[in-house]
Amino acid sequence: MVPSAPLDKTALAQPLEITQADLFEYVFSDPLLAWSFVLNIALAGLTILLIVYLGRNLTDPRAKLIAVSVMLISVVSISSYSGLTSGLTLSIIEMPAGHPAEGMTTAGEDGVLTMWGRYLTWTFSTPFILIALGMIAGSNMTKILTSVAFTIAMCVTGLAAALTTSSLVMRWWWFVISSLFFLVIVYIILVEWTAEAKQTGTIDLFNTLKILTVVSWFGYPILWALGVEGFALLDVAITSWGYSILDIISKYIVTVLIMMWLIKEPSEVTAGADYGSSLPGFSPADD
């Protein structure tokens, strides 16, 4: 008989790392949290189908480009929310010393649930929102790309704020940087693009879109500050629902409004069959 290896008490003391399956079960053990994800998957899917249906008769290439931009918002969302639902883009992290959620446990693990997959949604979807808004306003490529660059920077630094565990001060420093980038985007929308929309003749629609976008986007940093990542005044499920409602407003409702206006192919956004062509004689300056 071969003697058994001595029992490693140190190994027994090590907690098992939480798995995606554990996170998946945790999500669905809380119906409020689960539905904040599942509802967005359903709405993103329905929005994609609606865009395909409404845009089936579009002929102008510039109008089609706007339609594709708003479709990609929902394409990113359905993918990202599927990642959240499956546990793929969820983590449990311990908060730094001094954080209100320091010492909390989630699913038997030390730390709080961090929905870092939401930052993926925002990083890849908000640029398409801004592309559509910029084109409707009649803005130039420089301003549109500037807004896209700042929104990516905003989302990446927001992710850094959510994942920083070394220092409470650094968490809030990342938050401040992200907020400053956000204010640049707000300026472009409220000042630059509003003025251009007046000249383009799309100001009526643009005013509605900018109000929905800017007001809902201000809700994200407020929720971050009030939720478990900030002052921990709201629990994870309530915070998640807050983000989901803001996503519904800033993505799906805005998309439907744009498509309902776009299907008429108004002259303010149409550009003719040669728009975007690489044929000789076409110049981007013609935009």
Side-chain angles (χ1 to χ4, degrees), residues 154-171:
M154 174 188 71
C155 295
V156 171
T157 50
L159 175 61
L163 296 182
T164 295
T165 60
S166 58
S167 165
L168 183 60
V169 172
M170 286 305 302
R171 284 180 67 87

Side-chain angles (χ1 to χ4, degrees), residues 18 23 90-96 99 101-106 109-116 119 159-166 171 224 228-229:
I18 194 164
L23 290 170
L90 296 173
S91 295
I92 295 176
I93 64 173
E94 294 186 52
M95 292 292 104
H99 191 280
E102 180 188 3
M104 287 183 60
T105 60
T106 303
E109 294 285 319
D110 292 335
V112 299
L113 185 71
T114 297
M115 299 172 284
W116 58 269
Y119 295 89
L159 175 61
L163 296 182
T164 295
T165 60
S166 58
R171 284 180 67 87
W224 194 97
V228 292
E229 294 168 318

Side-chain angles (χ1 to χ4, degrees), residues 12-266:
L12 287 177
Q14 298 280 339
L16 295 176
E17 184 179 353
I18 194 164
T19 66
Q20 287 182 26
D22 296 328
L23 290 170
F24 177 78
E25 291 178 4
Y26 176 78
V27 167
F28 281 91
S29 69
D30 185 344
L32 191 63
L33 178 61
W35 274 104
S36 71
F37 298 155
V38 173
L39 178 63
N40 267 271
I41 294 174
L43 289 177
L46 289 173
T47 303
I48 292 171
L49 294 176
L50 182 63
I51 294 169
V52 172
Y53 175 75
L54 292 177
R56 70 193 187 282
N57 294 322
L58 289 176
T59 58
D60 183 78
R62 195 165 188 268
K64 288 181 179 180
L65 181 55
I66 296 174
V68 170
S69 295
V70 294
M71 177 185 286
L72 289 173
I73 298 168
S74 293
V75 168
V76 171
S77 293
I78 197 170
S79 303
S80 180
Y81 272 103
S82 295
L84 290 167
T85 305
S86 66
L88 176 63
T89 55
L90 296 173
S91 295
I92 295 176
I93 64 173
E94 294 186 52
M95 292 292 104
H99 191 280
E102 180 188 3
M104 287 183 60
T105 60
T106 303
E109 294 285 319
D110 292 335
V112 299
L113 185 71
T114 297
M115 299 172 284
W116 58 269
R118 286 191 178 278
Y119 295 89
L120 293 181
T121 308
W122 302 329
T123 301
F124 292 106
S125 65
T126 51
F128 294 118
I129 298 173
L130 292 170
I131 289 171
L133 290 179
M135 292 184 70
I136 290 170
S139 189
N140 58 54
M141 189 60 67
T142 300
K143 289 180 184 177
I144 293 175
L145 289 180
T146 299
S147 71
V148 167
F150 272 95
T151 195
I152 292 173
M154 174 188 71
C155 295
V156 171
T157 50
L159 175 61
L163 296 182
T164 295
T165 60
S166 58
S167 165
L168 183 60
V169 172
M170 286 305 302
R171 284 180 67 87
W172 284 104
W173 174 240
W174 282 119
F175 177 81
V176 169
I177 295 175
S178 180
S179 298
L180 291 175
F181 292 152
F182 169 61
L183 292 178
V184 173
I185 302 165
V186 170
Y187 171 81
I188 292 173
I189 295 174
L190 294 185
V191 179
E192 298 289 336
W193 286 354
T194 297
E196 290 172 342
K198 289 178 181 177
Q199 296 178 351
T200 304
T202 58
I203 190 62
D204 290 340
L205 173 67
F206 189 80
N207 276 338
T208 301
L209 297 177
K210 79 177 182 183
I211 291 171
L212 289 173
T213 301
V214 172
V215 171
S216 61
W217 281 17
F218 264 104
Y220 291 100
I222 293 173
L223 270 175
W224 194 97
L226 296 178
V228 292
E229 294 168 318
F231 295 116
L233 298 177
L234 303 175
D235 65 24
V236 171
I238 297 299
T239 304
S240 182
W241 262 108
Y243 285 139
S244 292
I245 291 171
L246 293 175
D247 278 354
I248 290 170
I249 296 170
S250 64
K251 295 176 182 177
Y252 315 130
I253 292 178
V254 164
T255 291
V256 171
L257 290 175
I258 291 174
M259 287 304 302
M260 294 299 293
W261 176 79
L262 196 62
I263 56 176
K264 302 172 185 176
E265 293 191 301

